[in-house]
Amino acid sequence: MMFSQKNISLPVLALFLSACASPQIANIKYMDNATLKQAEETSQSPQQVCETASMAIARANKEEFNFFAPLHLQQASENLKKGQDEIKNQKTVAQGMQYCFKVSTLIENGMTTKAKVESSLSDALAELKRLKKVDEGKKFSNDIQDYVDDVIGLVKEIEEGSMNEAMQGQAELLKKMLALEVDIVLAKNLNPVKAMLARAGDEDADELAKKTFGKAETELKSARKFIRVYYRNNEQVKKAAATAMRKARHAYYVAKEVETLTDLKPEAAEEKVLYIESLLERINRKFNKDVVIGHSLYEQTSIIDKRLDAVLDASAVTKRDLALIKQAYKDDENRSKSAAQEFVLQNKQGETSPSQAVTDRSRQIPVDEAKITPPLAEQPEHAPVNDAETVPPVADELKQTPVNNTETAPSVSDETKQAPANNTKTATPVSDKTKQTPVDNTKTATPVSDETKQAPVDNTKTATPVTDTTKQTPVNNTETAPSVASTARQAPVEDKLPRSKRAGY
């Protein structure tokens, strides 16, 4: 079919030529139609359209379109450049806007393609990451990059719509990538072993220590076979490589020891060295550690010596730690006992508040209310008290002198309001009662604060202090001294007891 400029407009022809110049992206015709429709219906300015296209390219670079959608990124970049050039010319502004609109369309479709790639080529993508991780020394970077390019080729096939071809290509590519992974693991773990065997060969180990050298070569082959099967079991791979390395080092050092026994035949010299090593290994086996074979005889003895020192040091540390543990156990046990005792005490106290606890304790003590002076705040309405039955101290009851306590002594704080008193008859201190003269305090004033309500009090048998009652002379204190607030308006009370009882006989 022949095309001419008369039948095809310039923008459509440009889009068609650009599509032919690069690999065909699936659904490209649909995107072209959508682009033309956007250009006809847009209300944006050419500058705004170009700016949007540039932002779409930046997004594509951030999403790694160079790997996940390279064809979309390539064509989008080409369309952006053409659109920017066309917009500069007033005559081709419309075509330039179409190019810029196509950029955004390609990027949106590229995001969909990226999701398909991540799902369809997940095995190949995972193997690429594993190869880069295994190749720690970056010795296979070129080989890995070749496989990266092969995976990008599969991605392009998906962009073009050839999904089946891409999946078949992935299966073949995975085999090669796995083989490369095995080679990397072998090289990383067994190359040092091969180098050590080469050094043993330089010492003529193949001649001077044929038996040992042969075992080292056999162990290397065994390790290689093992790693080819279990190349992803890092721990087992390292153990196999370590065993092969020990055999190779053994061959190297045995060869060097044999050289010092040149007077002996090689076979006899080798057996001698192996016998010495067996004796050293017999000692080393007691430590339950790795074998010391693979080092010089001197180094083997040094290793055994260090392990013995470690055992002795560990024994001392163990004893010290055991003592610390025992002490810590005792401390914990003591703390537990203390905590248990505190818990028991708290339970005994109960859940009462501190004020309630004080109240409860006060109720547990027997109290003779007849001998307790009430608080000042409660005395104005104090009920009459009959102290005629107050019992004197037992020790002094038989020798107590008669006391006529018809009136109480006033309190010091209320002396300013007391009635005139006969100071010649004021009671002497307790310590001087042995020589005290009779005192008449019948007219002593009582405190003013309670004069109105205080009832008569009969304190004819009020007890005298224990220490001074044995020698006390008769005192005319017809009334005992009440508390500070309870002496108001007391009426004199006559001592009506028989003379025999008043005399204390």
Side-chain angles (χ1 to χ4, degrees), residues 318-336:
T318 301
K319 290 181 180 179
R320 184 175 64 252
D321 292 343
L322 182 59
L324 294 175
I325 291 172
K326 289 182 179 179
Q327 184 61 38
Y329 177 79
K330 290 182 180 179
D331 295 340
D332 291 340
E333 189 176 11
N334 293 334
R335 283 194 293 268
S336 299

Side-chain angles (χ1 to χ4, degrees), residues 376 379 409-419 444-451 482-488:
L376 296 179
Q379 289 181 2
S411 63
V412 178
S413 61
D414 297 327
E415 286 181 359
T416 57
K417 298 181 182 180
Q418 286 179 343
T444 303
T446 58
V448 179
S449 60
D450 298 322
E451 286 182 353
S483 61
V484 176
S486 63
T487 59

Side-chain angles (χ1 to χ4, degrees), residues 367-378:
V367 178
D368 188 357
E369 297 180 354
K371 298 181 180 181
I372 297 177
T373 302
L376 296 179
E378 298 177 358

Side-chain angles (χ1 to χ4, degrees), residues 71 109 119 121 136 156 161 226-227 230 273 288-289 324 326 332 348 386-387 396 421 427 456 460 468 493 496:
L71 295 181
N109 192 71
S119 176
L121 303 180
E136 297 174 352
K156 289 180 179 179
F226 179 86
I227 292 174
Y230 302 101
V273 173
N288 196 24
K289 298 288 186 179
L324 294 175
K326 289 182 179 179
D332 291 340
K348 287 183 178 180
N386 185 2
D387 292 329
D396 302 323
T460 57
D468 300 320
V493 179
K496 297 180 180 181

Side-chain angles (χ1 to χ4, degrees), residues 68-81:
F68 290 102
L71 295 181
H72 286 75
L73 179 60
Q74 178 185 356
Q75 292 191 18
S77 300
E78 293 174 355
N79 279 273
L80 177 61
K81 186 176 183 306

Side-chain angles (χ1 to χ4, degrees), residues 224-329:
R224 184 179 291 109
K225 291 180 180 179
F226 179 86
I227 292 174
R228 287 190 178 278
V229 178
Y230 302 101
Y231 56 93
R232 289 185 180 173
N233 191 332
N234 294 330
E235 184 177 355
Q236 296 298 326
V237 166
K238 290 180 179 179
K239 287 184 178 179
T243 301
M245 173 59 77
R246 184 166 57 248
K247 295 290 185 180
R249 292 169 63 88
H250 189 204
Y252 171 77
Y253 287 113
V254 168
K256 291 192 67 174
E257 295 293 339
V258 169
E259 288 179 352
T260 62
L261 303 174
T262 55
D263 294 338
L264 298 175
K265 294 182 180 180
E267 293 81 5
E270 180 181 2
E271 291 297 328
K272 185 66 176 178
V273 173
L274 293 176
Y275 174 73
I276 295 173
E277 285 189 333
S278 67
L279 295 177
L280 295 174
E281 184 57 33
R282 181 180 179 181
I283 298 172
N284 178 68
R285 197 176 295 117
K286 300 295 183 180
F287 300 107
N288 196 24
K289 298 288 186 179
D290 293 336
V291 298
V292 294
I293 294 176
H295 300 275
S296 65
L297 294 177
Y298 177 79
E299 290 175 348
Q300 290 182 35
T301 57
S302 298
I303 293 173
I304 294 173
D305 180 68
K306 291 179 180 179
R307 289 177 178 177
L308 178 59
D309 291 338
V311 170
L312 296 176
D313 294 340
S315 178
V317 171
T318 301
K319 290 181 180 179
R320 184 175 64 252
D321 292 343
L322 182 59
L324 294 175
I325 291 172
K326 289 182 179 179
Q327 184 61 38
Y329 177 79

Side-chain angles (χ1 to χ4, degrees), residues 15 19 24-33 75 102 106:
L15 292 173
Q24 187 72 22
I25 296 177
N27 300 326
I28 190 65
K29 292 182 180 180
Y30 171 79
M31 287 187 282
D32 290 339
N33 294 333
Q75 292 191 18
K102 187 173 182 180
L106 285 167

